[in-house]
Structure formats: C-alpha cells, structure tokens
Amino acid sequence: MKNRIRLIGRLLAGILLATLPLGVVGSVAEIVSPVPGSNLSKNPLEFRWTAGAGGRFVLDVGTEGVGSSDVFRSGFLEADVMALEVPDIPSRQPIYVRLWSERAPGANSYFISDYTYNTDLDRDGILDEIDGQAGLTNPMIVMEGSDHRMTLLGSERLASFESPSLFDETKTEVSFAQAQNLARRVYEHFADDFDFLIFASRQPTTPPGSYYGRFYGARNQIDGIGIGHFDDTSSFGSAGQLQGVIHLTSVRGLPNGPSLHELAHNWGHSMRSIPTAVGNHWGYSNVGGQLGGWQPGSLLALGENRYQARNPRSGEIGPWGSFANGGNGLPYSEFELYTMGLIEAGEVTHDIKIANDFAWFDTDDGIFSASSIKTVTMDEIIKIDGRRLPAPATSQRAFRALYIILTDRPLTLGEWQRLDQDVYQFQLPENDGERHNFNFWEATRGLATLSMDGLTQHLIDRPDGAPRLTNLRFSPTDPRVTLIDVRTETGFVYSLEHSTDLTTWNRGNSLLGTGRTLTFSSPPFDGPVRFFRVIRTQE
C-alpha cells in the first residue's frame, strides 16, 4: 500500500442537503444505469435515474474531480425526464457524475448525488488509487452464519453483515440488547482484538425520527472521567478487549459524522464537576468540542444577563450546539483530549465556563441569556472527579476498530468502493486531504490513531467448525490464481468454493486436513470480482 497518495476526491455515497424552507420535504433521485462504480465502455452512453420529488434535474459529467462538468452539463431537465444520452465520454480514466434533484417543484433547492466510474478497472470493489494490488482482482472472503452472511472486502478494511431480518430490525435504531446480539455474531468470525465495533446501516441518509448515531459502553478502567470501573464485555461476546459498540444509521456517518462524536462518548461526558442540562454532553458550556459547547475564549458579556459566543467549528459568531457541533467538521477540543488521556490537565489552556439557566435570545447572533456564568478550574475538576488515570504518558493512543455494514442484500461494487475509501481516509494517520471533515488522527491533533485494516489476520474458526481463512494472495507465477491459506484439523476434508454473484457456488479442489495450515490454489480467473469460502466436511 502506498504510504501517501493523492486521493481522487471524496466519493459521496450519500446526499448533501441544501438549505430549505421549513416543511419542504423531498426524495432523492438516484442513478440506476450505468451501475455506479462500474467501468464504462459504450459511447455515447445513456444515464437513467429514479424519480425524485417532482422537481427538475441537472446532470453533470466531468473528469476533473467530484462535481466537475467539463465533459457534459445538461442544464435544467423537467421532472418527467429520467434518462439522457451523453456523448464523447473518455474511456479508462475516472469519470465523475453529479445528479441534482430538486427537493420539491419550484423549491430551487436540490439534493446532490455524486457517482464515479472507471475508478476500479480490476473490478474488485477497491479504488485503484488505494489498491495495493491495482490491476489484480482482490478476492473477497465469505463467511456463512446461522442467520447471516459476512463478507470481507479484499482490501481487508471492512466487512458487510448481510441479514434481511436483522437489517429491518435495526435500520432506524439499535437497542443495547441488539448491540450485544450483533457483537456476539461478529465474534463468531473475528477475534477479540478490537477496541470498538462500528456498525453502519446501509442507507444513504438517516431515517426520519431516528438518531444519527449511538454509543454503547462495554467497559471502563479509566479514573477521573466521572465513570466508575465496569466490565460488561462478556455480554457482547468479548473476553475483555472491547470498549464500546457504535451504531450509525447511515453509511455517511463514518466520513461525515457523528463517528468522531460517538467515539468521544467512550470518555465523556459523565463528570460531576461539569453539570449539564443536556445529559451526557457538554451542554451550555465552553468545552466547544464534539459533544457540544461554545468556542473556548469567545464568551462576551453584553449586560443584562445576556452573552454572546462563537461556534467552535466555524469560529464565527452564531449558534452552536449543546450536544454536537457539526459532525466530523471539527476536531476534539482540548478538554476532550484531556478526558481521552492525550494531554495533561495543565495543557488545557482555559477554565470551564457553564451558563446557568440558559436560554437562547438570538440564535443567529449567538446571543443567549443566563442567570450566571459558573467557572470551574482544572484543579477543581481534579478535586471533584479525580485525576485522569492512566496519565498521558501511559494512556492508550493506538486503537483498533472493526467497521461493519448492516445490509439486507450484497453490496454493489460501487458501494464497496465508496465505503472502502471512507475507511481508508478515516484511519489514515495523516491529513487525508478532505477539507470539510477530520479523520480520527486529525481530530486528535496527531496524538492517537485508529487502525481498521488487516482484517484477515483477525479471523477465527467459527464455533460450528467452519474453517478460518488466514491469508489471501496472488500466485507469484500467475496473477490470475489466488492462493488461500486455511487452518485445518485432522479427520476433515476442506473444499474451496468460489462464486461471482454469491448465489451460485462452484466447487474447486479439496484437501485432507492435517492439523496444520494448508494452501489452496484457485482456478485461473480473468473475469469479474470473485468470492471465496471453504467448506469443511467429515472425512
């Protein structure tokens, strides 16, 4: 894998929403042909999309990055036009397509859906620019469960959890019991090597009335953050490694947020020294981070118990959130870095100020009323809640997470591509080049990392005896052949099966178990993406 590459732009699998008058609601039009993420061969080419909310459309096609239109721009298309032929599309170079769909007739405000083509020429669900084996079709591993199927992408950065019934039960909300249930199923396939399990429901936007994300703590052995020690890992199927489970109701939750917000809940807010009117968040205070609050150092007293403060994300005077401040668009605040064990108490450069009896007076100008402003020093925080231990010198700074997409059917190549790039950029231990959002390393100001790759090294044998695939690689003599290592037991026969669509499975060679790891050789493949599984039978 290249250490540092120029990414071809954030691929938006979800939707960017324009500002609309209250009460205006619409549906998103989506391109259905050609299949997003596919490689284009016809010229001219017809694009087709679904009906939107009854308003107009605009179709842009370009080669200069997401949202470009140097190849083609349609102009306004009426609501009954849902197909358009585009001429002169270049081949074998990335193509970017943007579909604008008006949120309501005459609203003059649009949903924006972005798609890419010709960015995965080997058709393995991994964008060529972040594919360590570009030009070779990386295989996927398929693991069958009693009521689900897990598929591991060849990049080894993410997996899908396919179950129609469980997807329907959890697409709007995951309860504590459901989070435990999902985690236990994951541990049927993966070792207890992860600090966090992050589930995301396969839907482009959060359903109405649902939360954006939720965190469920599994254990805490940290002092000084207002939470007592506890260990509930066994109820999740973990033997003690797991710190928490996160559910995001949209696949956009990882790159856009609230992924950083939910991770922050592992360390805050439960502190007695910082009372809040907004449970488990910083509320009406100047913490100014992922869990809410105004920008530290920006409070201005206007007289008559009125105050003004700035938004910590934009730095501008205006409204700010009492429980969040705009997804992944801002880093962790100093005080949040303290609770995470990344900086010392003395490195928090401001006291904590809390507005008592808070009420908004003029949200546009960030003006609010309060009966008083309470100031809490770091010394007082430590006196009330205790010193944060482990201290920064010995606290954990390298974390590992497993990212799982909850779905009711197999993911398309285009979906794998976008989701895999999301993970690649979110775990990158450097600036990812995305202007609007922070990854975990950036959000912690380079003080911590979150690894999400190398997943085949964390697979285990299932309790029902299904074998573990420990490594996949290409044959050094024939790149069309995949070599697959499988840990075996004596008394069993192991058979390699492959598929191109996850519905029809073809049996390859079989090997007798020896108690050691054996290597399978697949048939030579020149075709599309392929999936592998190994079946174990009694000798």
Side-chain angles (χ1 to χ4, degrees):
M1 179 64 65
K2 307 165 190 171
N3 290 329
R4 183 70 177 104
I5 61 176
R6 181 185 59 80
L7 292 177
I8 53 181
R10 172 72 64 181
L11 301 184
L12 299 179
I15 306 301
L16 300 176
L17 300 182
T19 302
L20 276 183
L22 293 177
V24 177
V25 179
S27 58
V28 182
E30 297 181 349
I31 288 179
V32 294
S33 178
V35 176
S38 61
N39 299 318
L40 306 179
S41 57
K42 292 182 179 181
N43 202 350
L45 182 67
E46 183 180 66
F47 287 86
R48 291 184 172 273
W49 53 88
T50 60
R56 298 171 298 176
F57 303 102
V58 175
L59 183 71
D60 290 336
V61 181
T63 62
E64 299 175 349
V66 175
S68 61
S69 58
D70 54 293
V71 173
F72 180 84
R73 165 158 273 192
S74 69
F76 289 114
L77 303 171
E78 295 304 320
D80 59 348
V81 177
M82 288 180 288
L84 190 65
E85 187 175 89
V86 178
D88 302 324
I89 296 179
S91 61
R92 300 195 66 79
Q93 72 179 93
I95 300 298
Y96 305 88
V97 176
R98 170 168 287 183
L99 180 65
W100 306 68
S101 56
E102 198 170 18
R103 295 195 63 180
N108 199 29
S109 186
Y110 294 78
F111 289 109
I112 298 174
S113 300
D114 284 313
Y115 306 88
T116 58
Y117 299 87
N118 295 351
T119 53
D120 179 19
L121 296 177
D122 54 13
R123 293 182 56 77
D124 58 4
I126 309 167
L127 291 172
D128 292 336
E129 288 212 26
I130 57 174
D131 190 343
Q133 301 181 101
L136 301 176
T137 305
N138 291 51
M140 299 186 190
I141 297 175
V142 178
M143 300 163 283
E144 303 285 354
S146 57
D147 60 353
H148 65 274
R149 168 192 289 154
M150 289 200 74
T151 301
L152 177 60
L153 185 66
S155 69
E156 302 184 42
R157 284 186 283 259
L158 77 156
S160 67
F161 183 101
E162 183 183 340
S163 170
S165 60
L166 288 173
F167 176 77
D168 287 339
E169 292 174 11
T170 58
K171 62 184 178 182
T172 59
E173 182 178 3
V174 166
S175 67
F176 188 78
Q178 288 170 323
Q180 293 171 317
N181 179 43
L182 288 170
R184 288 194 296 267
R185 282 168 159 78
V186 168
Y187 287 125
E188 294 177 9
H189 309 283
F190 288 92
D192 184 25
D193 297 335
F194 303 96
D195 299 295
F196 304 102
L197 300 181
I198 304 176
F199 295 93
S201 295
R202 181 198 187 183
Q203 41 202 7
T205 55
T206 293
S210 176
Y211 56 72
Y212 287 88
R214 182 165 288 176
F215 177 85
Y216 292 107
R219 70 175 172 93
N220 177 62
Q221 303 300 317
I222 300 170
D223 294 320
I225 59 173
I227 309 172
H229 289 198
F230 70 93
D231 188 339
D232 197 25
T233 54
S234 61
S235 68
F236 291 89
S238 165
Q241 177 68 26
L242 184 68
Q243 298 185 40
V245 171
I246 292 171
H247 176 230
L248 306 171
T249 49
S250 164
V251 293
R252 305 317 300 151
L254 184 73
N256 296 345
S259 54
L260 292 176
H261 175 106
E262 299 307 329
L263 286 165
H265 275 302
N266 190 54
W267 301 276
H269 158 48
S270 300
M271 305 184 77
R272 292 178 296 124
S273 56
I274 306 178
T276 176
V278 182
N280 299 316
H281 298 83
W282 302 126
Y284 308 115
S285 74
N286 71 334
V287 172
Q290 276 292 328
L291 301 184
W294 69 79
Q295 183 184 66
S298 70
L299 186 67
L300 178 65
L302 303 178
E304 298 181 346
N305 290 333
R306 291 178 186 169
Y307 303 85
Q308 188 177 50
R310 295 177 181 269
N311 182 297
R313 175 173 180 171
S314 66
E316 302 293 330
I317 290 175
W320 41 267
S322 59
F323 62 90
N325 275 307
N328 290 0
L330 76 163
Y332 294 118
S333 68
E334 287 182 353
F335 192 76
E336 288 171 333
L337 293 176
Y338 164 76
T339 64
M340 296 170 74
L342 301 180
I343 65 174
E344 297 280 2
E347 296 178 78
V348 180
T349 59
H350 58 88
D351 296 333
I352 304 301
K353 296 184 180 296
I354 306 160
N356 294 319
D357 302 314
F358 177 95
W360 280 112
F361 178 78
D362 185 340
T363 55
D364 289 342
D365 288 330
I367 299 175
F368 61 89
S369 64
S371 60
S372 62
I373 301 294
K374 179 180 180 180
T375 299
V376 184
T377 67
M378 291 302 298
D379 288 341
E380 291 172 324
I381 288 171
I382 292 171
K383 182 177 180 180
I384 295 172
D385 285 299
R387 186 171 297 277
R388 202 284 186 192
L389 296 173
T394 57
S395 66
Q396 182 178 0
R397 291 172 179 261
F399 301 90
R400 176 162 287 278
L402 173 57
Y403 186 49
I404 310 118
I405 305 301
L406 300 174
T407 179
D408 56 348
R409 59 193 184 280
L411 302 180
T412 67
L413 279 181
E415 288 176 309
W416 280 118
Q417 293 162 15
R418 293 187 290 271
L419 295 167
D420 183 57
Q421 191 194 30
D422 290 340
V423 177
Y424 176 85
Q425 292 189 241
F426 191 74
Q427 70 154 13
L428 198 66
E430 57 184 287
N431 189 314
D432 65 0
E434 165 60 46
R435 294 187 302 110
H436 302 292
N437 291 314
F438 291 84
N439 64 24
F440 184 77
W441 181 89
E442 293 171 303
T444 63
R445 308 182 192 191
L447 298 174
T449 59
L450 182 71
S451 300
M452 303 170 75
D453 55 5
L455 293 181
T456 58
Q457 302 306 310
H458 302 276
L459 293 173
I460 61 171
D461 294 335
R462 276 178 44 81
D464 61 7
R468 171 186 176 186
L469 284 66
T470 59
N471 189 26
L472 285 84
R473 62 198 186 280
F474 294 106
S475 167
T477 59
D478 187 350
R480 300 175 304 157
V481 174
T482 302
L483 302 180
I484 302 172
D485 296 337
V486 180
R487 194 171 66 191
T488 66
E489 300 177 47
T490 58
F492 294 92
V493 175
Y494 295 81
S495 300
L496 178 67
E497 294 187 345
H498 58 87
S499 172
T500 59
D501 58 8
L502 291 176
T503 57
T504 301
W505 290 90
N506 301 296
R507 177 137 322 171
N509 54 328
S510 297
L511 297 174
L512 183 64
T514 63
R516 300 188 301 274
T517 296
L518 299 177
T519 300
F520 284 87
S521 295
S522 76
F525 286 95
D526 288 312
V529 63
R530 53 195 183 273
F531 305 87
F532 289 100
R533 69 182 183 186
V534 173
I535 304 298
R536 188 182 82 161
T537 56
Q538 197 77 36
E539 183 181 357

